[in-house]
Amino acid sequence: MQFANRIKQLKPYLFVGISRTIAAKRAQGIDVISFGIGDPDIPTPPHILEALKAGAGKPANHRYPESEGLPEFRKAVTDWYQHRFGVSLDPATQAINLIGAKEGIGHVALCFLDPGDLALVPDPAYPVYGVGTMFAGGDVYPLPLNEENGFLPDLDSIPEDVARKAKVLWINYPNNPTGATATPAFFKKVVAFAKAYEVAILHDACYTEVTYDGYKGVSFLQTPGALDVGMEFHSLSKTYNMTGWRMGAAVGNADMVNALMRVKSNLDSGAPQAIQEMAIEALATPEAWIKQNNAVYQRRRDKVIKALRGIGLAPNEPKAGLYIWVRVPRGYTSASFAQLLLDQRDIVVTPGSGYGEHGEGFVRLSLTIADERLEIGLKRLEGWTIPPPPRTQR
Ligand SMILES: Cc1ncc(COP(=O)(O)O)c(C=O)c1O
């Protein structure tokens, strides 16, 4: 049997390795506390689950869905965009359903990239942008996200020939893993870049609703001209604690949305309709519920930051997203510091290097950990002195 090169090139998905490490420790009887994956621990709220129960009983929902999603779902998404961001979209042509944002993010490269084409991809980044590029036969040109630049890519530093060759630019704000947020001025620059070089903009906006300290997430589509050049990926996973239900949407430029719909209609038959009905209910969730859900993460954020400062680290304090991104102590690498935490404190964090070369020197801690587990984890850091790094490192 001979497998395709793309399978040989494919590294195991970041969290597969981390899950194995946790399982191995737990098999030894060690109670590992994981600040690894960003998967909300809080259950899906009852009003959304009720919609699933009602939807499950409808025979129409037992049949194939449409790939693009129920018209009612698409309308719920565009109504939400209007209400939330003041962006007017046509539900028939500018919104489609995704089986979780990850599915659309993975497939969209097939709409824009032929073998040898170039995708501009931030580094560090959610790994699926690069993997989707590779699946389409494209090449990644990494755009470093540096702390000095507020973890925004420096579009001016992209060489002219690279910008001319590029077909797509990925951006993601609020950002995973750095926790950075984008400014309207940055989005304006992105639109100008897209127009100057005929580059399609793919904005992953999964965390716009998970925000702290009164910050309000922004949509790229609010930027003048954005609808000429871009589309945005949304997820219900994080905002409504729905990772298990796999529900997302792609919205924006009608030609781009249509291209993704054509790819999807050849690969999947849409998300289960009863789950789309959950999503319709979710999108109508009162603001107050979202605020109290975010307040849980904000409390955890503050505790994690305090504990990290207590051991001499200087974490970034994110205004949005589910992650704390923190530089490792001098002399350690992302991997060696993550290993130290596992060996000495039985704590799992994600090495920043797993998100790209420029993630080296950082680790990421997720806030999606039940409060009592979080307290145990943070207690393990209290009074801990980070040992000097072994001489062989760096
Ligand atoms: C930046 C980013 N985009 C997309 C996703 C996936 O979202 P979904 O659960 O809708 O597939 C994640 C999940 O962690 C993410 O961090």
Side-chain angles (χ1 to χ4, degrees):
M1 195 182 296
Q2 293 185 46
F3 289 97
N5 281 336
R6 71 177 64 84
I7 291 295
K8 293 179 201 147
Q9 281 177 46
L10 204 54
K11 292 188 221 138
Y13 194 65
L14 183 57
F15 289 102
V16 173
I18 292 173
S19 300
R20 283 200 194 120
T21 308
I22 296 171
K25 275 265 181 182
R26 287 191 178 145
Q28 293 165 37
I30 298 165
D31 180 27
V32 184
I33 306 277
S34 175
F35 291 86
I37 198 163
D39 187 359
D41 56 298
I42 309 166
T44 309
H47 69 282
I48 299 177
L49 293 173
E50 284 306 320
L52 174 68
K53 286 186 207 158
K58 292 184 199 164
N61 289 347
H62 302 174
R63 310 190 69 194
Y64 279 124
E66 297 292 342
S67 298
E68 66 267 30
L70 286 167
E72 296 84 354
F73 168 80
R74 299 161 89 185
K75 172 123 182 14
V77 170
T78 55
D79 284 352
W80 183 79
Y81 255 77
Q82 184 69 59
H83 147 83
R84 179 58 187 82
F85 299 117
V87 173
S88 300
L89 297 164
D90 172 10
T93 59
Q94 293 186 298
I96 55 166
N97 176 239
L98 301 174
I99 309 172
K102 185 179 187 181
E103 176 267 308
I105 290 168
H107 283 145
V108 74
L110 298 172
C111 303
F112 296 100
L113 303 177
D114 287 315
D117 281 346
L118 210 55
L120 303 172
V121 178
D123 177 348
Y126 180 58
V128 187
Y129 318 138
V131 169
T133 303
M134 188 267 276
F135 281 168
D139 295 318
V140 166
Y141 184 89
L143 302 180
L145 301 187
N146 294 322
E147 196 160 18
E148 311 79 78
N149 212 21
F151 297 111
L152 298 172
D154 177 7
L155 301 181
D156 297 329
S157 72
I158 301 170
E160 185 72 17
D161 59 324
V162 171
R164 288 202 182 287
K165 201 175 164 211
K167 294 278 180 66
V168 301
L169 164 62
W170 274 105
I171 48 175
N172 161 226
Y173 294 97
N175 185 256
N176 174 17
T178 68
T181 51
T183 56
F186 169 72
F187 281 157
K188 256 174 113 170
K189 252 191 134 158
V190 170
V191 170
F193 178 85
K195 293 199 168 177
Y197 295 103
E198 288 186 60
V199 170
I201 305 303
L202 303 171
H203 181 225
D204 179 350
C206 286
Y207 294 97
T208 58
E209 306 313 296
V210 186
T211 60
Y212 314 120
D213 306 327
Y215 172 76
K216 218 141 173 68
V218 286
S219 160
F220 171 65
L221 301 182
Q222 289 171 298
T223 319
L227 277 169
D228 299 334
V229 295
M231 73 195 291
E232 194 154 83
F233 294 84
H234 251 287
S235 169
L236 282 90
S237 288
K238 318 286 170 157
T239 314
Y240 308 106
N241 307 329
M242 285 177 66
T243 43
W245 303 110
R246 315 306 306 125
M247 186 54 49
V251 296
N253 178 279
D255 293 334
M256 295 172 75
V257 168
N258 182 252
L260 184 56
M261 200 278 284
R262 285 172 61 194
V263 166
K264 277 175 58 61
S265 60
N266 283 282
L267 292 177
D268 69 64
S269 300
Q273 287 186 173
I275 297 180
Q276 293 187 54
E277 289 176 359
M278 290 174 86
I280 295 169
E281 184 64 36
L283 289 167
T285 298
E287 179 85 16
W289 184 90
I290 296 175
K291 275 201 174 136
Q292 60 82 27
N293 201 52
N294 287 344
V296 174
Y297 294 128
Q298 184 170 319
R299 268 198 310 276
R300 293 176 184 173
R301 176 199 68 170
D302 294 345
K303 285 182 183 175
V304 171
I305 285 177
K306 188 163 170 242
L308 293 173
R309 286 187 180 144
I311 57 168
L313 302 182
N316 293 310
E317 192 170 322
K319 287 199 291 253
L322 291 172
Y323 312 105
I324 308 294
W325 185 242
V326 59
R327 204 177 271 287
V328 302
R330 189 184 288 275
Y332 282 94
T333 62
S334 295
S336 67
F337 189 61
Q339 192 63 46
L340 182 80
L341 281 169
L342 185 63
D343 292 343
Q344 296 205 355
R345 301 285 98 189
D346 297 324
I347 285 174
V348 171
V349 298
T350 312
S353 49
Y355 298 92
E357 202 180 305
H358 292 269
E360 178 52 57
F362 290 85
V363 290
R364 193 195 80 166
L365 284 83
S366 167
L367 302 174
T368 57
I369 165 172
D371 290 309
E372 57 284 8
R373 302 289 294 161
L374 179 116
E375 297 291 349
I376 298 170
L378 298 185
K379 264 252 160 326
R380 290 181 187 173
L381 294 179
E382 248 174 54
W384 181 51
T385 306
I386 300 172
R391 268 164 196 256
T392 48
Q393 288 173 359
R394 283 213 194 145

